[in-house]
Amino acid sequence: MGFNLLDIECEDKSLVELAFTHPSYTKEKELSYTQSYERLEFLGDAVLKLCISDLLYKKYPDYEEGELSKIRSILVSDATLAKIAKSIGIDKNLILGTGEENTGGRTRESNIACAMEAVLGAYYLNGKITFVEKFLEENLLPIANDIDEHFEKYNAKAVLQEYTQGQNGILPDYKVINTKGPAHKPIFEVEVSYMGEVLAVGSGHSKKEAQQDAAYQACLKLNIISNG
């Protein structure tokens, strides 16, 4: 890693602190919703997708839009963002409400990924987009190479479906069991079942992402794929 994104000096440091403030904390302290990371996350999500789209557009000049979209969807997923965010200590800096802290909020992928996006938004507002682009290029583009060369291992739904069809031709069933989070970026929880038995539960910012996560957890449970 060339540098830690969190080491960048900013003129408005309060924005960076705001990027770590989870909504559970503002609710607990009866503060305005503007004092949590939700608005910065909204902005950072757009910054992330623009930067990644630009990097992929330049890296794969012959790829069609559909191929670029497949790679981007994995790069900006909660799982990928949380992994990168943990490597630079974003999880350790989260400001959580007591309840969220006590229920594992500091290790929850969605929380860490949202804070990561909020941090990107904070740096964008501080005029540090060049540093953001460099960080994403160094940390996400290498993952893009692996996705491009081994896309099948990232498509857990296809892997699970192939397995169940090979067993008896019955397909796994996916069901949304909960929706939470802000309206502009809800978090879906999905359970995947097979022959009436719930195999696993996954989450994501879209139903498709949550299904992929649930399928991945099911594949791990069934020893169809290995962790990592």
Side-chain angles (χ1 to χ4, degrees):
M1 185 181 299
F3 64 92
N4 188 326
L5 192 66
L6 303 186
D7 291 338
I8 300 173
E9 288 295 324
C10 286
E11 184 175 328
D12 189 351
K13 295 182 179 180
S14 65
L15 277 175
V16 180
E17 181 178 350
L18 186 64
F20 292 112
T21 306
H22 189 268
S24 63
Y25 179 84
T26 56
K27 289 178 182 177
E28 184 178 280
K29 300 297 182 180
E30 297 184 349
L31 301 173
S32 167
Y33 79 95
T34 60
Q35 292 181 266
S36 76
Y37 63 45
E38 290 182 304
R39 282 169 52 84
L40 281 175
E41 175 204 343
F42 168 77
L43 176 62
D45 175 62
V47 172
L48 172 66
K49 288 178 179 174
L50 175 60
C51 290
I52 290 299
S53 297
D54 179 62
L55 289 169
L56 293 177
Y57 185 87
K58 293 172 181 175
K59 182 176 178 61
Y60 303 108
D62 299 324
Y63 280 26
E64 295 181 355
E65 178 268 344
E67 294 175 290
L68 296 174
S69 294
K70 286 196 301 183
I71 298 174
R72 186 183 64 184
S73 69
I74 296 172
L75 287 178
V76 302
S77 69
D78 282 357
T80 303
L81 290 183
K83 181 178 179 180
I84 299 301
K86 288 178 184 177
S87 74
I88 62 174
I90 282 182
D91 55 324
K92 295 181 177 63
N93 287 280
L94 287 174
I95 302 170
L96 304 170
T98 303
E100 186 69 18
E101 182 78 72
N102 292 340
T103 56
R106 192 167 298 278
T107 60
R108 193 164 291 128
E109 281 188 348
S110 58
N111 288 346
I112 302 169
C114 287
M116 174 76 176
E117 291 178 334
V119 168
L120 297 180
Y123 281 127
Y124 172 79
L125 291 177
N126 269 282
K128 302 295 182 179
I129 187 63
T130 300
F131 291 96
V132 168
E133 291 171 341
K134 180 181 177 183
F135 177 81
L136 296 175
E137 181 175 8
E138 289 187 1
N139 290 274
L140 288 182
L141 271 197
I143 301 174
N145 290 331
D146 191 51
I147 296 170
D148 185 43
E149 294 175 13
H150 308 101
F151 184 76
E152 66 281 352
K153 79 177 184 180
Y154 291 92
N155 192 0
K157 281 186 68 177
V159 172
L160 181 61
Q161 180 173 314
E162 182 178 353
Y163 171 80
T164 60
Q165 283 185 313
Q167 295 295 307
N168 53 21
I170 298 177
L171 299 178
D173 181 57
Y174 297 89
K175 179 182 178 182
V176 177
I177 58 174
N178 190 26
T179 305
K180 55 186 180 181
H184 75 268
K185 198 169 187 182
I187 299 172
F188 297 94
E189 291 184 354
V190 168
E191 68 177 20
V192 57
S193 303
Y194 173 57
M195 296 182 65
E197 177 186 354
V198 176
L199 297 178
V201 175
S203 62
H205 282 298
S206 68
K207 293 178 183 178
K208 183 177 180 180
E209 184 178 324
Q211 289 174 354
Q212 284 287 0
D213 185 43
Y216 176 70
Q217 300 302 328
C219 287
L220 290 176
K221 180 180 179 181
L222 296 171
N223 294 314
I224 302 171
I225 59 178
S226 60
N227 192 354

